[in-house]
Amino acid sequence: MRINPIAAMRRSGVLALLLFIQGTAFATGGADVLDVKARQTAPQMWHFSVTITHPDTGWDHYVDGWDVVLPDGSVIKPAAGEQFTRTLVHPHVDEQPFTRSQGGVKIPVDVKQVTVRAHIKSEGYIGKTMEVDVTP
């Protein structure tokens, strides 16, 4: 006797649970970087203004930071001990999309492009990133 695995999952409710979990993951949405403005303020020093959208719901689920990532994968942090390039200290439930800035971002002279990504407190790095040209 041959068993149809899809039919077996339907009968057991597993398929419905998997579809629910998948739908929930997509419904919450990622933290998408919508726009980045980068300007050089001094040799190797840059100021970034980053616009992000994410369905923040409160203190347990919000964008808590964004990063400027070098091509080698290292994250530029303005000060020792910082978790992100720019830490965000509160949810933006009623302010979407939102823009936050960070100056004093030191980019090595040989780097021509960086990636900006956003971090969700409860989920990590999920969402659209943006490549940014950093040639003087």
Side-chain angles (χ1 to χ4, degrees):
M1 180 169 127
R2 205 162 184 200
I3 297 175
N4 180 335
I6 300 296
M9 284 192 290
R10 280 189 187 130
R11 283 192 294 276
S12 68
V14 172
L15 184 59
L17 178 62
L18 290 173
L19 291 172
F20 172 77
I21 291 169
Q22 181 182 17
T24 302
F26 287 115
T28 60
D32 294 336
V33 176
L34 300 179
D35 188 48
V36 178
K37 291 184 178 27
R39 62 180 170 84
Q40 190 172 23
T41 57
Q44 296 185 16
M45 298 302 287
W46 291 77
H47 181 274
F48 285 79
S49 292
V50 177
T51 302
I52 299 167
T53 188
H54 173 263
D56 290 5
T57 58
W59 290 101
D60 293 330
H61 185 81
Y62 74 99
V63 176
D64 59 350
W66 54 260
D67 291 323
V68 174
V69 185
L70 297 175
D72 68 3
S74 58
V75 176
I76 300 173
K77 299 176 183 174
E82 291 290 333
Q83 184 177 1
F84 307 108
T85 303
R86 173 65 154 89
T87 299
L88 304 172
V89 296
H90 62 85
H92 296 89
V93 175
D94 297 319
E95 181 189 357
Q96 291 293 326
F98 63 92
T99 302
R100 295 297 179 270
S101 298
Q102 178 67 48
V105 179
K106 186 174 183 179
I107 299 187
V109 70
D110 62 324
V111 172
K112 306 300 179 210
Q113 189 175 59
V114 296
T115 301
V116 176
R117 66 182 183 184
H119 184 270
I120 305 168
K121 181 179 180 184
S122 60
E123 298 174 22
Y125 296 100
I126 300 173
K128 295 177 184 173
T129 62
M130 187 166 283
E131 304 295 317
V132 181
D133 179 52
V134 288
T135 53

